[in-house]
Amino acid sequence: MEAITRTTTRHAQLLSRPGKWHGRPTRIILSAVEIVPIHTSPKRKRGNDLATSLARRASVSLNREQYTFHGLEACGTGLSQDFGIRTRYRFDLHLAMILCLVATTFSGCASQPWVTLRSVPRNPLGDELQLTSWSGPQPTPRTVQLLRVYNLTDALKGDSRTLLESLQRITDEEPSADKVYAMSELAYLSARKIEKQDQAKALDLYGAAVLHAYAFLFDDRLAATRNCYDPQFRGACDLYNSALESALRLGCTRGELRPGTTKTIHTAAGTWDINCVLRGGVWQPDDFDHFKFVSDYEMKGLKNQYQNHGLGVPLIVVRRSYKNEPEAARYYPPDLSFPVTAFLRPVKEPNHAGRNQGLLELCDPLEINDTRVGRLQVPLESDLTTPLAYFLSKVPMESLATVGLLEPERLLIPRSDSQTMVKGLYMVQPYEQGKIPVVFIHGLWSSPMTWMEMFNDLRSSADIRRHYQFWFYLYPTGQPFWVSAAQLRRDLAEMRQSLDPQHREPALDQMVLVGHSMGGLVARLQTQESGPDYWKLASRIPWEQVKADPEVRQKLGEMFHFHPNPSIRRVVTIATPHAGSTFSNQTTQYLLGKLIQLPATIVNAQQQIFRDNPDLLFPESLLKIENSVDALSPKSPILPVMQAGQRMPWVKYNNIIGEIPRSWWLQPLGDHTDGVVSFESARSPDAEPAVIVPADHTTVHCHPLAVMEVRRILQEHLDQLRGHPVVGLKLLPPSMVR
């Protein structure tokens, strides 16, 4: 008892009472609980409010006095960072394992900084041209040799434009690849030297460097002297990319880089009008707010980085909202960003003013991997992962995992940028007709951020990108999962009405749901017919005799009377507790029950319906289950009904199960478990043979084998639609399939 201070005698006795866990005596001892002031920036103010409210509830539940509360720290949720909350509980080892796993294994993949800003942008020419040395920048020895051959060495110390004009005259008389390369290199170096003093002139020189590098690579007149095995060939690619990036940086600084605009530059070869246009994808010019450069950032938060090497400059476009934007824009998260690749090409025909023309093409790398130049198919330089990581570093969804668990009502209020609730479906790419939606549904104490590893890996496949679009569902995980299932049912119907009111889009009728942990239960309820079975779990009174306001009656009816969604054709459950989890027990139910605050709308509706229907409830009524932790108990009456429910003939179920290797410190958890959900509970009787992944509950959906299996499932789904033999991707060893 000496570890307990300032608690009432009754609560102290309760918290220090001996108990049993797996047949072994345990004792929980709580240390002093106090509320501490948290000093953070204004951006963290809402987190402070939440910490204070949690502290207030915790102090009331333990004692009517005020205490300092450091709260629950959830590894991988960013809780302590986003809300200034820490634990000061001390537990017996076994019980501590329970609460630690509740905090970590329900939350999803661990969080960390997604990107970091480089001190110096990445530049492949840095060493070759000595860009950062005290004596640099300097031309390469081959360029110096060429200038020496034509007696132009002394001109290096003079005006750069004079040198370039002299070299241009020599090239016009005797074209060769090495002269064009030297002109590109010298124009680039000259621009670097004067960039800070004269941005306009530097922009012209960078543009000249790009056009000369382009000529080196593609001009038919240089075919006889161009050698693709010469290191200069790769050097010309680097010159093209680096010079174009430098020009774009100046254009962004001057506000001149925007689709639909024209920029004029002056080179030794003449005057050029450069027109900026979009290529591929469905983003519109109005979506472009401003640009960031991929080379400025180092990707940290995602394990795999998917890049394509070629020509062009990978960019990050930060989207803006605007009037009369597409209906699908209501599903975009705030501060959405997306990848593009900038590619500059000259146009052969001069314009009406007699000036040379060029096209600056902003290509969507999710749709376009290469571009045609003459008879060549040229790969585009692209980066799909860094723009995603940059977006994730700006979006606040990670902190919503804790808000959704402990204060679900906060997800039911409108977003600051629209009238749409925080809860709901989210897109990170524009809606595209003809592509099948894959909807990711997170689990308890989690958010859509938990899916980013899998999303990043799946999106790397061109075939998957070509046929699928990915949506994410955010919901309050503190409420019973059948409430969330009713909300998802409504949200999917509203989205269909918004995107395809006439139901003419067949791809939307081939939807795939992927659910992790409790999210798998939310997904399964989208494909079941309720009949009278679910209402019988709530009350013995016939539904027709229930008295309630129309709004309350409608929401109650949506929870217990529903039909399967005919547009959902496949459900993938990952580490889902189909038969519940033993981690929902008296201890966790008590502790989290004290912290979870149900939405006022649900509480008020319950109070009203109980008041108007005094005989409504029976001892095991589903309506007595007030939060998600209680709902996941192996004794939860809804789970057997779900397992025995009628399987719709058009729906296929796939199952992925985590199983951690045995070790001495995990022996109390038992065999064949992911640490939270046992193998028997995670196995769905109506699913195809389950795939076993050697991972714990936290990381099973991020594991490479789980990603490979989901990719195989999506490929199989396509094969069935095409009428091909179902072979999928034979990626997993037979020993992993049970």
Side-chain angles (χ1 to χ4, degrees), residues 7-241:
T7 57
T8 63
T9 303
R10 183 174 62 85
H11 284 103
Q13 291 173 344
L14 172 65
L15 295 171
S16 60
R17 183 177 303 159
K20 293 274 187 179
W21 183 51
H22 285 279
R24 304 183 183 185
T26 60
R27 180 181 299 270
I28 175 172
I29 301 179
L30 228 61
S31 67
V33 186
E34 358 168 60
I35 298 180
V36 294
I38 305 170
H39 304 286
T40 59
S41 64
K43 292 183 179 180
R44 298 294 187 188
K45 186 174 187 303
R46 293 185 65 185
N48 291 346
D49 295 340
L50 177 58
T52 304
S53 64
L54 292 178
R56 186 179 300 114
R57 290 208 308 278
S59 64
V60 168
S61 64
L62 290 176
N63 193 352
R64 291 298 175 181
E65 303 177 28
Q66 289 297 316
Y67 290 96
T68 316
F69 182 69
H70 292 279
L72 293 173
E73 178 177 60
C75 301
T77 64
L79 179 57
S80 60
Q81 169 180 317
D82 289 307
F83 299 108
I85 300 177
R86 292 186 314 225
T87 41
R88 296 183 85 183
Y89 295 125
R90 283 173 36 200
F91 305 101
D92 175 272
L93 173 62
H94 293 158
L95 194 52
M97 287 170 57
I98 293 181
L99 295 180
C100 180
L101 286 172
V102 167
T104 58
T105 57
F106 284 138
S107 63
C109 299
S111 66
Q112 56 182 310
W114 298 98
V115 291
T116 57
L117 187 66
R118 299 176 187 269
S119 58
V120 177
R122 185 181 62 247
N123 190 327
L125 298 175
D127 293 335
E128 185 178 10
L129 300 182
Q130 304 176 47
L131 298 180
T132 58
S133 70
W134 288 104
S135 60
Q138 296 290 338
T140 59
R142 289 180 65 172
T143 295
V144 173
Q145 176 176 302
L146 183 139
L147 294 178
R148 188 165 52 246
V149 168
Y150 289 96
N151 195 31
L152 293 174
T153 307
D154 292 340
L156 273 173
K157 303 174 184 178
D159 179 60
S160 60
R161 189 170 292 276
T162 302
L163 172 60
L164 290 170
E165 289 174 351
S166 300
L167 197 54
Q168 181 69 54
R169 286 192 295 270
I170 296 172
T171 304
D172 291 341
E173 295 173 1
E174 188 183 357
S176 67
D178 58 345
K179 299 185 187 71
V180 174
Y181 184 93
M183 291 186 66
S184 176
E185 184 180 293
L186 292 170
Y188 178 77
L189 292 173
S190 299
R192 292 275 300 193
K193 292 176 181 178
I194 67 168
E195 182 175 334
K196 294 181 179 179
Q197 292 77 33
D198 191 340
Q199 289 191 355
K201 187 175 180 181
L203 183 59
D204 290 345
L205 289 167
Y206 281 133
V210 175
L211 294 169
H212 288 311
Y214 185 95
F216 176 95
L217 295 168
F218 303 114
D219 195 324
D220 291 336
R221 295 173 296 175
L222 305 178
T225 58
R226 184 169 50 231
N227 179 5
C228 64
Y229 299 102
D230 189 328
Q232 273 195 342
F233 192 91
R234 181 61 241 181
C237 296
D238 292 338
L239 273 170
Y240 177 94
N241 293 348

Side-chain angles (χ1 to χ4, degrees), residues 331-561:
Y331 299 106
Y332 298 158
D335 301 319
L336 178 62
S337 55
F338 53 91
V340 298
T341 293
F343 181 80
L344 177 64
R345 71 171 79 225
V347 178
K348 291 183 177 180
E349 297 79 14
N351 61 16
H352 63 279
R355 293 202 290 258
N356 298 312
Q357 293 188 87
L359 287 179
L360 179 63
E361 301 172 345
L362 300 179
C363 307
D364 185 348
L366 293 170
E367 300 291 334
I368 300 176
N369 294 319
D370 48 36
T371 187
R372 193 162 189 84
V373 179
R375 297 184 299 272
L376 300 175
Q377 206 68 25
V378 180
L380 291 173
E381 185 93 4
S382 64
D383 188 324
L384 301 182
T385 303
T386 302
L388 173 62
Y390 174 84
F391 160 64
L392 297 177
S393 70
K394 301 298 180 182
V395 71
M397 273 196 183
E398 200 159 61
S399 60
L400 294 180
T402 300
V403 176
L405 174 69
L406 301 180
E407 289 200 314
E409 192 165 23
R410 286 180 178 250
L411 300 192
L412 304 179
I413 61 176
R415 285 162 31 185
S416 58
D417 61 334
S418 70
Q419 294 303 309
T420 308
M421 286 185 183
V422 177
K423 168 200 73 70
L425 290 158
Y426 284 86
M427 300 178 178
V428 295
Q429 298 168 219
Y431 166 70
E432 294 187 66
Q433 292 183 351
K435 291 190 176 182
I436 300 169
V438 177
V439 183
F440 290 113
I441 309 169
H442 61 79
L444 180 68
W445 205 333
S446 190
S447 75
M449 303 292 267
T450 196
W451 292 109
M452 291 305 137
E453 289 285 2
M454 179 177 286
F455 172 59
N456 180 50
D457 290 339
L458 291 176
R459 196 173 63 160
S460 68
S461 166
D463 197 41
I464 294 294
R465 292 199 307 268
R466 195 176 301 116
H467 295 97
Y468 288 100
Q469 53 192 324
F470 297 94
W471 302 345
F472 302 88
Y473 192 59
L474 171 68
Y475 65 98
T477 63
Q479 62 192 13
F481 63 82
W482 50 87
V483 179
S484 302
Q487 292 170 344
L488 175 58
R489 205 174 290 118
R490 188 186 319 121
D491 290 340
L492 286 173
E494 290 178 359
M495 177 177 268
R496 182 64 182 264
Q497 185 62 27
S498 173
L499 301 178
D500 182 33
Q502 303 300 321
H503 285 233
R504 296 176 178 174
E505 179 51 48
L508 295 182
D509 290 324
Q510 299 298 329
M511 190 178 302
V512 179
L513 304 186
V514 183
H516 172 240
S517 191
M518 186 173 71
L521 300 176
V522 175
R524 281 188 65 90
L525 282 174
Q526 308 304 307
T527 62
Q528 292 196 334
E529 177 70 50
S530 67
D533 297 336
Y534 286 87
W535 177 246
K536 289 179 179 179
L537 296 175
S539 178
R540 299 287 186 251
I541 298 178
W543 171 250
E544 296 75 14
Q545 299 178 17
V546 174
K547 302 174 183 177
D549 291 343
E551 182 180 359
V552 173
R553 185 179 181 86
Q554 177 186 351
K555 291 185 177 180
L556 195 64
E558 290 174 350
M559 280 189 279
F560 297 106
H561 299 282

Side-chain angles (χ1 to χ4, degrees), residues 598-616:
L598 285 180
T601 53
I602 295 180
V603 174
N604 294 337
Q606 285 180 336
Q607 291 176 349
Q608 179 200 345
I609 200 167
F610 295 161
R611 182 181 64 249
D612 296 342
N613 302 270
D615 299 327
L616 182 71

Side-chain angles (χ1 to χ4, degrees), residues 645-666:
Q646 180 182 358
R647 175 175 175 173
M648 296 300 108
W650 64 82
V651 182
K652 290 186 177 295
Y653 297 93
N654 296 90
N655 202 10
I656 299 174
I657 299 175
E659 189 172 287
I660 54 178
R662 290 195 63 185
S663 58
W664 67 269
W665 67 279
L666 288 176

